[in-house]
Amino acid sequence: MAEEKKGFFSRLKEGLNKTRDNIVAGIDAVFYGASEIDDDFYEELEEILIMGDIGVNATNDIIERMREEVKKRHLRQPSECKELLVESIKEQMHVEETAYDFEKEQSIIFIIGVNGVGKTTSVGKLAGILKRQGKKVLIAAADTFRAAAGDQLAEWAHRAGVDMIGGTDGADPASVIFDAVNAAKARNVDVLICDTAGRLHNKKNLMEELKKMNRIIDREFPNAHRENLIVLDGTTGQNALSQAREFGEAANLTGVILTKMDGTAKGGIAVAIQSELNVPVKYIGVGETIEDLQKFNADEFVNALFDIKEEGTHPEQTDTESMDVDSDETSVSDDDSHDGNFPENDQIQTDIPDNNADVCSSAETENDTDVIIGSEDKGESVDEDSAEDENSTEKPKKKKWFFW
């Protein structure tokens, strides 16, 4: 699981390269180029944040918090403010633990959004996430307008290993929702995920149909926990905000799935969404595979955006450091070679003393470990020899300096 999360963070970091170039480069120029913290400093920073699709409201909140913290901490240099900016953005994007309460209850998740944002694939990926949690999941294919939409969703249902309820092409989407809701009750399903047509937010009849489906769910399954997630394309920038506002009038939005973050220069929209709409980003997508949709983590996102390395995220380094301090046989056996070279056994004992007693360096191989652990006496003798070599190398140095 740790490897999966590390891989996702790496992909997110790579996906935000364009956003980083668009926003962070300009921010660094302000922090390290300004001579003092004054109104001009704040104005330049404000302009860069707004141009980076972070939004007016979010930018105003961030700048206001920075002003307050600068006064509290009595900061004088602009470079000292970067940490304040990072902290403020993380606070803006924080997702409460209650945002995922639907995972603990019998729920119906309504997936909505315009054409081409990735709703159908998000339904399949979300089903996979919940399936891996041990949930019984059912998918409703209510996108009956788009050609082959049902076939596409059936393929995703197969990948996720869940069942699907669908209808014929051109069928009434509300009837599909009705059948799916009753099937979910009969099968005692934990989560019902409803895919919908790519409704253009400026088409009144489609928005009214969305309201109709919501009324059916309210009538047929009133006790189910309701979750309305809108899928937004991260590459569309501020246009995504207008889409979310329009859909918010037809459905009570409870969260956002932000897709296509693996190459957009407008990743700052993730900050704007939560500030402008007061709707949390709950999931973020960075690729096409079923594992490329993950729960949104504000700290990971901002760290990836600003290229900040979290402490404790590189276990290899911490292991290597502990190996340098601890030179007993256990530490040697716990860590393998990083370079993959396996020297002959008869070379090991001769090589160790020549390295200034660095017996437990991170370059030790598995064969090295076997030889040293094979005899405790040998391990002890090696340590003693190494210690003697150190002393012997230090003594001539003292004599040389003495005669000099």
Side-chain angles (χ1 to χ4, degrees):
M1 187 65 183
E3 293 180 359
E4 179 181 336
K5 292 183 70 175
K6 182 180 179 182
F8 180 82
F9 178 81
S10 298
R11 294 194 297 275
L12 176 61
K13 184 177 176 180
E14 292 174 2
L16 291 173
N17 279 338
K18 293 181 180 178
T19 302
R20 191 180 304 113
D21 294 340
N22 189 29
I23 299 177
V24 180
I27 289 175
D28 286 343
V30 174
F31 283 135
Y32 300 107
S35 58
E36 59 181 346
I37 303 175
D38 53 12
D39 290 339
D40 291 338
F41 166 77
Y42 287 117
E43 287 179 6
E44 289 183 30
L45 188 59
E46 181 179 1
E47 180 181 353
I48 292 173
L49 293 176
I50 293 176
M51 293 297 291
D53 287 294
I54 288 181
V56 176
N57 290 343
T59 298
N60 289 338
D61 291 342
I62 291 170
I63 296 298
E64 189 61 31
R65 290 183 186 183
M66 283 189 61
R67 288 180 181 271
E68 294 176 358
E69 290 298 322
V70 166
K71 292 180 180 178
K72 287 181 181 179
R73 304 184 188 186
H74 305 288
L75 302 181
R76 294 290 180 267
Q77 298 300 322
S79 59
E80 299 174 332
C81 297
K82 185 173 181 179
E83 183 178 350
L84 296 180
L85 176 66
V86 173
E87 292 175 358
S88 182
I89 294 178
K90 287 182 179 180
E91 291 177 7
Q92 287 275 343
M93 306 185 73
H94 178 67
V95 179
E96 299 292 339
E97 294 182 2
T98 55
Y100 301 98
D101 280 351
F102 67 89
E103 296 180 345
K104 307 172 185 177
E105 307 176 34
Q106 197 170 22
S107 306
I108 297 178
I109 304 176
F110 219 54
I111 306 296
I112 58 180
V114 301
N115 288 315
V117 294
K119 288 187 311 305
T120 301
T121 55
S122 295
V123 169
K125 294 174 182 178
L126 183 57
I129 292 175
L130 296 172
K131 176 72 173 180
R132 290 194 296 271
Q133 294 177 3
K135 306 293 183 183
K136 188 176 182 181
V137 183
L138 180 66
I139 293 177
D143 185 359
T144 59
F145 295 144
R146 183 168 62 88
D151 295 337
Q152 181 186 7
L153 190 59
E155 174 60 27
W156 277 106
H158 175 71
R159 294 182 190 179
V162 301
D163 295 332
M164 187 188 86
I165 300 293
T168 60
D169 291 343
D172 182 9
S175 66
V176 176
I177 294 296
F178 179 84
D179 293 340
V181 169
N182 284 282
K185 291 191 296 183
R187 303 179 189 183
N188 196 26
V189 167
D190 294 318
V191 182
L192 171 63
I193 307 177
C194 303
D195 186 23
T196 62
R199 1 195 131 255
L200 299 175
H201 55 285
N202 56 358
K203 300 290 185 181
K204 281 190 175 182
N205 58 331
L206 293 178
M207 299 300 285
E208 288 300 323
E209 186 180 311
L210 186 62
K211 295 178 182 179
K212 178 183 177 182
M213 289 189 285
N214 271 304
R215 289 194 297 268
I216 290 175
I217 295 174
D218 292 337
R219 184 185 71 233
E220 297 296 325
F221 208 165
N223 296 328
H225 181 97
R226 293 297 309 277
E227 194 77 15
N228 296 320
L229 302 181
I230 182 170
V231 182
L232 299 176
D233 184 344
T235 65
T236 59
Q238 293 296 312
N239 190 39
L241 284 176
S242 63
Q243 295 171 15
R245 291 191 183 98
E246 293 293 333
F247 277 106
E249 297 177 2
N252 179 29
L253 299 180
T254 59
V256 175
I257 299 177
L258 198 57
T259 63
K260 305 182 182 179
M261 295 297 290
D262 51 335
T264 176
K266 301 181 178 181
I269 192 63
V271 184
I273 287 171
Q274 301 203 158
S275 178
E276 302 278 343
L277 305 176
N278 198 26
V279 177
V281 176
K282 293 189 177 183
Y283 295 92
I284 186 170
V286 296
E288 296 296 328
T289 66
I290 200 167
E291 295 84 9
D292 286 334
L293 183 72
Q294 298 283 341
K295 287 182 179 180
F296 181 79
N297 184 300
D299 289 342
E300 285 187 358
F301 180 86
V302 177
N303 289 342
L305 179 62
F306 285 89
D307 197 12
I308 299 173
K309 294 182 180 180
E310 290 183 291
E311 294 183 1
T313 55
H314 300 285
E316 313 84 55
Q317 295 179 0
T318 57
D319 290 343
T320 303
E321 292 172 359
S322 65
M323 289 165 60
D324 291 336
V325 175
D326 187 5
S327 62
D328 61 315
E329 292 84 1
T330 304
S331 65
V332 176
S333 62
D334 287 342
D335 294 273
D336 296 333
S337 170
H338 296 288
D339 58 15
N341 295 325
F342 297 90
E344 296 296 333
N345 292 342
D346 57 352
Q347 295 177 350
I348 294 170
Q349 296 181 358
T350 58
D351 290 341
I352 290 174
D354 294 335
N355 292 329
N356 294 328
D358 190 8
V359 177
C360 299
S361 67
S362 59
E364 283 294 341
T365 64
E366 293 181 358
N367 285 351
D368 296 342
T369 303
D370 294 338
V371 173
I372 295 174
I373 294 178
S375 172
E376 294 182 358
D377 295 336
K378 289 183 179 180
E380 292 174 357
S381 64
V382 170
D383 292 339
E384 293 174 358
D385 293 342
S386 302
E388 291 176 1
D389 288 345
E390 280 187 338
N391 295 332
S392 63
T393 53
E394 290 175 358
K395 289 177 180 179
K397 289 182 179 180
K398 292 181 180 179
K399 291 179 179 181
K400 287 182 180 180
W401 284 106
F402 175 79
F403 286 112
W404 178 260

